[in-house]
Amino acid sequence: MRLRKIQHIRPCEISIAPLIDVVFLLIIFFMVVSQFTRVKLEAVSLPPASQGELPEEMSSRRVILNVHQDGRIINEGIEHDLLSLEQLLKMEKAEHGGGRLTILIRSDRKTSWKTVREIMQVCAGEGLSRVKVAVTEAEGQN
Amino acid sequence: MLLTRQSLKPVRPVLNIAAMIDVVFLLLIFFMCTISFEAVDKDLSAQIPQVSGDPSEESDFEPIRIELRLTEAEAEGIGSEVLVFCDGLKCSGYGEMAEMLSQRRAIADIPVIISGEDEIDYENLVRVMDICYEIGFSRVAFSAK
């Protein structure tokens, strides 16, 4: 059998336009998401612990409370005092239900216990017992 | 002034794709890396005894109460030290407290309640909680009272 001669060999080309589209889309996605997490997570020096667990999947609503060394309580970029915190937790509880609400306290290691205790009192007052404290990986601490 | 013929010829603009792709990929890799570094926080579960009822009530055992107190600062410049009390007994440090807790853990998974004086740094309480979890207690709570 005689094979037919291939008339034209088309040159192989990478189409640049869709590649750039996808890459830009990814860049914008990562930029937005990183900005979003930064708003929620303030720069605080967390206490070290060896038994910390990785956060669970986001199946339940998590309220992140950043507590600075000077006692400022910040949730999603907004500063709260104990009264407004109570209001916030009330609202969150009404919206998502108390059982599905997790409070994550990201407190600075040098914050006085009084500040954190008062936050926990507010949580307990609202009937929220799913409270977690954020820690960093301990580096060979005994 | 007379322009040369060559300069009158329109030059076709060319977009340098290679350099742009370099920069774009660099940005992409940067954001991908930083995003994974931001999520390294870990959690410790800190139950709070409810106002209405104490979770330790469900247990057959009386909860172990660990209390942190501060010594009186003797002089200016000398910081006060943290004293550890386990069920009212003074421990020489976290090591002795861990030993006492290990003995109790051998009996059962007794609930532990941690409390402290107001001025104590929060990291001390987290450290006690971490030790409790390390020993194997599963019901460790901060006292919010």
Side-chain angles (χ1 to χ4, degrees):
Chain A
M1 193 179 83
R2 240 186 106 180
L3 290 170
R4 259 192 297 169
K5 249 189 190 172
I6 298 166
Q7 299 280 320
H8 301 288
I9 299 169
R10 287 176 66 192
C12 178
E13 274 180 16
I14 302 174
S15 124
I16 293 287
L19 178 86
I20 292 176
D21 281 358
V22 170
V23 167
F24 267 108
L25 201 84
L26 282 171
I27 284 192
I28 291 162
F29 169 75
F30 282 115
M31 279 171 77
V32 170
V33 172
S34 73
Q35 203 63 31
F36 190 63
T37 48
R38 218 165 287 157
V39 168
K40 282 193 164 184
L41 309 179
E42 299 259 327
V44 288
S45 167
L46 297 175
S50 59
Q51 301 297 305
E53 292 165 351
L54 284 170
E56 295 162 15
E57 287 300 308
M58 298 290 197
S59 54
S60 61
R61 165 79 178 160
R62 236 169 34 144
V63 177
I64 301 175
L65 302 174
N66 299 280
V67 187
H68 287 271
Q69 203 173 330
D70 52 10
R72 281 179 298 131
I73 306 162
I74 292 168
N75 170 257
E76 295 186 16
I78 301 163
E79 195 173 333
H80 289 274
D81 57 15
L82 291 173
L83 269 177
S84 62
L85 180 69
E86 200 180 330
Q87 293 299 317
L88 174 84
L89 293 181
K90 269 200 176 95
M91 264 170 54
E92 291 283 351
K93 198 180 160 190
E95 205 173 318
H96 300 95
R100 291 176 54 81
L101 207 60
T102 307
I103 314 292
L104 177 67
I105 300 176
R106 293 184 79 251
S107 177
D108 193 284
R109 61 179 74 181
K110 295 288 174 200
T111 312
S112 70
W113 170 237
K114 183 174 181 268
T115 312
V116 183
R117 189 172 52 80
E118 282 171 345
I119 295 171
M120 288 183 174
Q121 269 175 344
V122 172
C123 297
E126 290 304 315
L128 304 166
S129 58
R130 289 177 69 173
V131 175
K132 294 192 167 209
V133 292
V135 292
T136 52
E137 189 78 59
E139 291 158 9
Q141 195 190 6
N142 196 7
Chain B
M1 196 179 83
L2 201 80
L3 291 169
T4 55
R5 191 176 268 188
Q6 202 180 3
S7 64
L8 288 169
K9 206 174 160 187
V11 181
R12 231 183 130 198
V14 180
L15 186 70
N16 192 351
I17 292 285
M20 189 177 83
I21 290 178
D22 279 358
V23 173
V24 164
F25 267 105
L26 202 82
L27 282 171
L28 183 67
I29 290 162
F30 170 75
F31 283 115
M32 281 172 76
C33 290
T34 50
I35 216 158
S36 60
F37 285 135
E38 272 176 1
V40 291
D41 285 6
K42 292 191 170 181
D43 298 345
L44 277 183
S45 185
Q47 302 160 19
I48 310 171
Q50 293 298 294
V51 176
S52 52
D54 204 310
S56 58
E57 282 172 7
E58 297 162 13
S59 172
D60 299 335
F61 295 93
E62 190 67 19
I64 303 167
R65 292 186 187 273
I66 297 170
E67 202 185 339
L68 300 183
R69 293 182 205 159
L70 283 175
T71 55
E72 294 287 325
E74 286 168 3
E76 223 172 285
I78 302 171
S80 41
E81 274 181 60
V82 177
L83 299 175
V84 187
F85 290 84
C86 184
D87 273 344
L89 295 169
K90 189 180 166 188
C91 305
S92 59
Y94 292 113
E96 198 187 333
M97 181 200 75
E99 265 175 43
M100 286 173 84
L101 288 174
S102 302
Q103 288 167 9
R104 308 277 177 94
R105 180 65 187 90
I107 303 166
D109 186 6
I110 307 167
V112 182
I113 295 177
I114 306 164
S115 60
E117 277 183 13
D118 285 354
E119 290 76 28
I120 287 179
D121 286 348
Y122 162 71
E123 68 175 339
N124 293 303
L125 286 107
V126 173
R127 189 168 175 191
V128 173
M129 176 169 262
D130 191 34
I131 292 169
C132 293
Y133 277 125
E134 203 174 342
I135 290 167
F137 289 103
S138 63
R139 283 172 294 172
V140 187
F142 285 127
S143 168
K145 286 168 193 164

